[in-house]
Amino acid sequence: MLSEVLIKNNQGDFVDFKPLECEDALINSNEVIRPLPEQKGKGGFSSFKICDGLGIGVCRCIFDDDYMVRFTLKNSFFSFIFCIKGHSFLPCGFYPASQVSVSPGRSYAGFFDERIAERKIKGPQEVISVAIHVSPDFLIKLFSSSLLRDARSVNTLENAFKSRHFYKDHIITSQMKIAIYQILNNSYKGRIERIYMESKALELIALRLEQVLPPDCFSESSLFSSPGNRDRIFLARDLLIKKLSYPPSLKALAQQVGMSHTQLNKGFRMVFGCTVFEYLRKERLSYARMLIEENPDDLTRIAYESGFCSSSHFAASFFKAYGIRPSEYRKSMIFRSNRT
């Protein structure tokens, strides 16, 4: 998707980042790693070309100095950015903001139609992020297949492409964090790696579009006759995720977003297919699963950190959701880490 990449040096001039070598390498390899220039810090950028129209970009860098990159694009593309650590700025490419601040714990969906885009990072700091890049044709095909046909979603996307501008900013959910963590810690190689990375990319696209695209049932409900009600429901979801261990009561949560608790529960059922309490339990389990994958040491600590009142309640809920007990899942994580 890139035709030229330049990095600003200490003299303030943009210098070549050898993009053509990267593109040639991507033809014959699943992954290409571009180290960060030594004068800028440590780490680098990884590029995965999964198939035509779908790719993954990973940034894992420790910047010792300010960093600014300018890149020109061959084609327009839809980008889903997930920021885990660090701050950066996208001065152009997204709309309507003239400069978008990319912050930890947030995900960004935007349509890049500009031919020249930039990214700024103030040093020193560590930055970890994952980006899924999708061509408009690939994205439209996902919704135009016989199994996923969704006329309203296709129209929403096509209108975004025609208007040349699209930008949405939401919180990263626990389900997203699991997929992101699995991308960052992928240990597969060859064809299996390509299949695995494609599955994770599509999973993140699905989870992100769930936040962006309204279901068909919205138009049939008086609950969503007001455009702000859908935003209130997602705000409630974000507030819930931020306080998994000590969430507000249903009544307090509804008051915070300006809805009745009945409206809020009904909205959660329509948007997420479950009640507020059921959504909270799913997020707690997803968060606990991520903690086990990151550091499978103390299951009791993980249970309480995820918001469960006891380790036995946590074990029963985990088994019901995933068909495996937390202790068994922890053993499988330790076994996999020992293999790698």
Side-chain angles (χ1 to χ4, degrees):
M1 295 180 181
L2 302 179
S3 59
E4 184 180 35
V5 179
L6 303 174
I7 289 182
K8 182 173 283 189
N9 61 21
N10 294 335
Q11 288 71 46
D13 300 320
F14 284 101
V15 295
D16 188 8
F17 199 29
K18 300 180 180 179
L20 296 180
E21 293 181 13
C22 292
E23 290 210 349
D24 292 340
L26 275 173
I27 296 175
N28 302 310
S29 174
N30 288 357
E31 179 183 10
V32 170
I33 299 175
R34 298 176 294 162
L36 188 66
E38 291 183 3
Q39 66 271 26
K40 294 293 181 181
K42 302 177 180 65
F45 306 86
S46 299
S47 299
F48 300 84
K49 181 180 178 181
I50 297 172
C51 61
D52 289 339
L54 180 62
I56 300 177
V58 175
C59 171
R60 277 186 282 201
C61 297
I62 299 177
F63 295 95
D64 297 330
D65 194 4
D66 292 351
Y67 171 87
M68 180 173 176
V69 61
R70 175 180 294 169
F71 47 92
T72 58
L73 309 174
K74 283 185 175 180
N75 305 296
S76 303
F77 66 90
F78 212 92
S79 187
F80 302 90
I81 300 173
F82 304 87
C83 182
I84 302 300
K85 193 171 186 178
H87 294 81
S88 62
F89 298 92
L90 297 171
C92 61
F94 277 130
Y95 181 85
S98 59
Q99 177 170 279
V100 175
S101 175
V102 179
S103 305
R106 306 294 298 183
S107 62
Y108 305 83
F111 179 48
F112 277 91
D113 192 50
E114 304 289 340
R115 285 295 174 263
I116 299 178
E118 295 179 347
R119 184 181 186 186
K120 293 180 179 179
I121 298 173
K122 297 289 292 183
Q125 67 168 316
E126 182 180 4
V127 176
I128 301 176
S129 63
V130 172
I132 312 297
H133 303 301
V134 192
S135 71
D137 290 342
F138 186 94
L139 202 56
I140 293 297
K141 284 181 181 178
L142 287 178
F143 288 91
S144 299
S145 66
S146 58
L147 294 178
L148 296 173
R149 191 174 302 279
D150 185 341
R152 294 190 69 224
S153 296
V154 170
N155 289 337
T156 300
L157 293 172
E158 288 181 339
N159 289 335
F161 301 145
K162 289 177 182 177
S163 68
R164 301 176 58 196
H165 299 300
F166 184 87
Y167 168 70
K168 296 290 183 179
D169 169 14
H170 288 96
I171 196 169
I172 295 177
T173 67
S174 296
Q175 288 177 297
M176 292 177 186
K177 287 180 180 178
I178 291 175
I180 294 167
Y181 177 81
Q182 289 169 336
I183 287 175
L184 293 173
N185 294 276
N186 163 53
S187 61
Y188 297 105
K189 301 298 179 185
R191 293 181 180 179
I192 299 299
E193 178 186 35
R194 188 182 293 270
I195 295 172
Y196 182 80
M197 295 297 276
E198 180 178 5
S199 70
K200 296 296 115 182
L202 293 177
E203 181 180 352
L204 284 173
I205 290 173
L207 293 172
R208 194 63 183 87
L209 288 180
E210 179 190 44
Q211 296 175 318
V212 173
L213 300 177
D216 287 337
C217 60
F218 284 5
S219 60
E220 303 171 1
S221 171
S222 59
L223 177 63
F224 292 95
S225 58
S226 171
N229 279 345
R230 183 173 185 272
D231 292 334
R232 292 188 183 97
I233 289 169
F234 278 103
L235 174 59
R237 190 275 310 276
D238 291 355
L239 293 173
L240 206 61
I241 291 174
K242 288 181 179 179
K243 298 182 178 180
L244 286 180
S245 299
Y246 302 99
S249 66
L250 178 60
K251 184 177 179 180
L253 182 63
Q255 288 177 343
Q256 287 183 56
V257 298
M259 300 180 77
S260 70
H261 68 274
T262 303
Q263 283 181 316
L264 186 60
N265 245 339
K266 184 177 179 181
F268 261 70
R269 284 187 179 278
M270 295 180 66
V271 178
F272 305 114
C274 60
T275 65
V276 174
F277 176 76
E278 289 168 342
Y279 189 89
L280 175 63
R281 184 175 56 196
K282 289 179 181 179
E283 279 297 313
R284 282 175 166 172
L285 288 169
S286 294
Y287 182 62
R289 179 181 167 187
M290 182 190 69
L291 292 178
I292 293 175
E293 292 183 354
E294 285 182 341
N295 187 16
D297 55 356
D298 187 347
L299 291 180
T300 300
R301 176 190 62 80
I302 290 175
Y304 286 111
E305 190 173 333
S306 304
F308 289 91
C309 59
S310 68
S311 55
S312 59
H313 182 214
F314 165 57
S317 299
F318 195 93
F319 182 79
K320 184 176 180 180
Y322 300 118
I324 185 174
R325 299 194 180 281
S327 57
E328 296 171 339
Y329 192 65
R330 177 180 63 180
K331 290 179 181 178
S332 69
M333 290 297 102
I334 295 174
F335 176 74
R336 180 176 174 182
S337 62
N338 289 339
R339 287 185 61 190
T340 57

